[in-house]
Amino acid sequence: MKELQDIVRAYDVAQQQGKQTALATVVHVAGSSYRRPGARMLVTEDGQLTGAISGGCLEGDALRKARLAMLQQKPLLVTYDTTDEDDATLGVGLGCNGIIQVLLEPLDTADAANPISFLKAFLGQRQAAVLVTLFSLERRTAAQPGTCLFIPESGEVKGACTDEELQKALLGDAEEVLLKQESLTKAYAATVGTLTGFVELLQPAVSLVVFGAGNDAVPLTQLASILGWQVTVVDGRANYARRERFPAAQRVLVAKPEEALAQLVPDQQTVCLLMTHNYNYDLAMLRQLLPLKLPYVGSLGPRKKLERMLRELKEEGAQVPEQALESVYGPTGLDIGAETPEEIALSIVAEIKAVLARKSGTFLRSKPGTIHPRAAQQVAAAREHTKYSGCSLSSL
């Protein structure tokens, strides 16, 4: 999310300075790569880069190809094959073992349907959306349609395909992506031949609500801000909940427990932390948060504290469904041996990220298989296509 925010800001600056720009997007990966489909980088004509499409090994060449795309004013699909161990440029030296397709799109400021306008529309509202990017793996040197459709969860579809049947199929798949909350890559029959569509799910930024404005909340808000999360700090103490103490937060509210939620608009990307160090305040907030079925509610402090709060809520007759309890984490945070406020913040943010990504938070070296799911035959198919097209890094 932060990457998209940075790209949009950099685009606006470049536009004000009259610079040409291009957007590089990883649209397809077969095998291993540092970044996955959806990674983006903005390139200006004078070589400024915002975002990343790799760990730094592809950016230099992508810059040169982006300048070519700007010069020709047409999208360009570039293939990076890091599976060839005999290739001194792209083989063993990169430490990867995959084939990465990067689409380079020159950005026309006069075009209301350019990719940045879609990203701005997405960032301007807190709802999921789908972004559709079309490209041809079969005819890589042919004209590439590029980013063509933006479908918000609720609202007007932006952009269009010249092929009506293709657009109908894409809109249908966009609905499925929104329903399953998972991007897909699919081959489509079109009037110009077979096209590959990257039907990408865009999720709004995580909204982190921290109940508690103590000193230990400061590094937590700073770390969350680095990730691009939208941070709100709430506390009943006016001398603690002050803007100058939390410059990284979007909002700092002084509110009693019964007043707090009226000033918030929780959604399925909202996570909450109870860390006021005031038992009654935390209890009052937990009473209100449980019915909301948020994906994550963290309780700072010992397990006995959380157990006591839940017991009191049940004794007073509050309905505490098991589904809601599954989203309550106390003590909050991963077990990384955290001691200082900064370490505790790291532990908490890492746990929230793992929960939202539906991951266990274990050591990657203990994970069987690959980090990201993939099919071995996709690597072979992509490699054969690369050989057939006669293209390599040096020939583009």
Side-chain angles (χ1 to χ4, degrees):
M1 177 57 62
K2 185 176 185 299
E3 187 170 70
L4 296 185
Q5 295 167 347
D6 291 343
I7 285 173
V8 167
R9 280 193 292 266
Y11 172 80
D12 286 341
V13 171
Q15 191 175 12
Q16 292 168 6
Q17 297 173 345
K19 296 179 182 177
Q20 282 191 302
T21 55
L23 186 66
T25 306
V26 177
V27 291
H28 187 270
V29 170
S32 175
S33 71
Y34 185 80
R35 298 296 306 271
R36 307 303 296 172
R40 289 179 171 84
M41 179 177 73
L42 185 78
V43 182
T44 65
E45 60 181 291
D46 58 350
Q48 295 182 12
L49 307 177
T50 304
I53 56 172
S54 74
C57 43
L58 303 182
E59 277 71 6
D61 185 76
L63 167 60
R64 292 188 288 273
K65 302 300 189 296
R67 282 172 168 162
L68 176 61
M70 285 184 252
L71 180 65
Q72 298 178 341
Q73 282 300 297
K74 65 178 184 180
L76 175 66
L77 187 68
V78 182
T79 300
Y80 295 102
D81 186 348
T82 68
T83 65
D84 186 358
E85 297 188 0
D86 295 326
D87 189 331
T89 305
L90 280 182
V92 181
L94 290 185
C96 299
N97 188 31
I99 299 173
I100 305 143
Q101 307 287 348
V102 177
L103 183 67
L104 303 169
E105 298 177 90
L107 299 172
D108 181 0
T109 58
D111 183 4
N114 78 43
I116 297 296
S117 69
F118 293 154
L119 295 179
K120 285 184 175 182
F122 165 65
L123 293 173
Q125 52 191 352
R126 281 198 61 81
Q127 62 173 287
V130 170
L131 194 63
V132 177
T133 304
L134 292 173
F135 52 98
S136 175
L137 288 174
E138 291 185 349
R139 301 168 61 238
R140 203 166 48 78
T141 57
Q144 301 292 331
T147 307
C148 58
L149 286 171
F150 173 75
I151 305 103
E153 195 169 19
S154 60
E156 182 183 355
V157 174
K158 297 181 183 296
C161 292
T162 54
D163 187 325
E164 292 185 5
E165 287 301 314
L166 174 58
Q167 176 156 328
K168 183 178 179 180
L170 289 168
L171 292 176
D173 285 336
E175 289 185 13
E176 181 181 353
V177 165
L178 286 169
L179 180 65
K180 294 183 176 180
Q181 296 289 285
E182 186 175 353
S183 302
L184 68 82
T185 302
K186 184 175 177 180
Y188 295 89
T191 54
V192 296
T194 300
L195 292 175
T196 301
F198 177 38
V199 188
E200 178 186 8
L201 176 68
L202 299 176
Q203 289 276 28
V206 175
S207 174
L208 171 65
V209 183
V210 181
F211 293 99
N215 292 338
D216 54 351
V218 175
L220 180 67
T221 62
Q222 293 170 337
L223 183 54
S225 177
I226 290 173
L227 297 177
W229 295 3
Q230 296 177 356
V231 181
T232 300
V233 178
V234 185
D235 201 303
R237 301 167 293 180
N239 58 325
Y240 279 75
R242 303 198 318 270
R243 166 63 61 184
E244 56 268 28
R245 279 172 51 79
F246 296 95
Q250 276 73 36
R251 301 177 71 194
V252 180
L253 306 176
V254 179
K256 297 177 181 179
E258 60 272 18
E259 303 168 343
L261 283 186
Q263 303 181 60
L264 304 171
V265 185
D267 56 32
Q268 285 307 300
Q269 282 289 98
T270 299
V271 297
C272 295
L273 286 170
L274 304 175
M275 49 190 302
T276 64
H277 301 280
N278 181 317
Y279 179 84
N280 291 327
Y281 196 111
D282 285 356
L283 175 63
M285 288 313 311
L286 184 61
R287 182 185 295 112
Q288 299 175 70
L289 293 174
L290 284 176
L292 300 181
K293 300 179 181 179
L294 300 176
Y296 182 97
V297 176
S299 173
L300 186 70
R303 181 177 288 106
K304 288 185 177 180
K305 172 191 170 185
L306 176 60
E307 291 174 347
R308 178 186 167 191
M309 288 194 293
L310 293 173
R311 184 171 62 251
E312 287 190 23
L313 290 178
K314 290 180 180 179
E315 289 173 353
E316 68 183 35
Q319 295 297 319
V320 185
E322 287 299 319
Q323 182 181 1
L325 290 178
E326 291 177 0
S327 299
V328 179
Y329 292 78
T332 183
L334 296 181
D335 183 9
I336 60 172
E339 295 287 346
T340 67
E342 291 78 13
E343 292 170 348
I344 292 171
L346 175 63
S347 164
I348 293 172
V349 168
E351 181 178 63
I352 294 173
K353 171 59 184 173
V355 169
L356 294 179
R358 301 173 187 175
K359 300 295 182 180
S360 63
T362 188
F363 295 118
L364 283 176
R365 72 175 185 177
S366 302
K367 182 178 180 178
T370 60
I371 297 175
H372 301 287
R374 63 178 184 265
Q377 61 267 25
Q378 288 181 325
V379 179
R383 186 184 300 115
E384 286 302 313
H385 165 70
T386 304
K387 292 178 179 178
Y388 172 77
S389 64
C391 296
S392 64
L393 173 65
S394 58
S395 65
L396 280 171

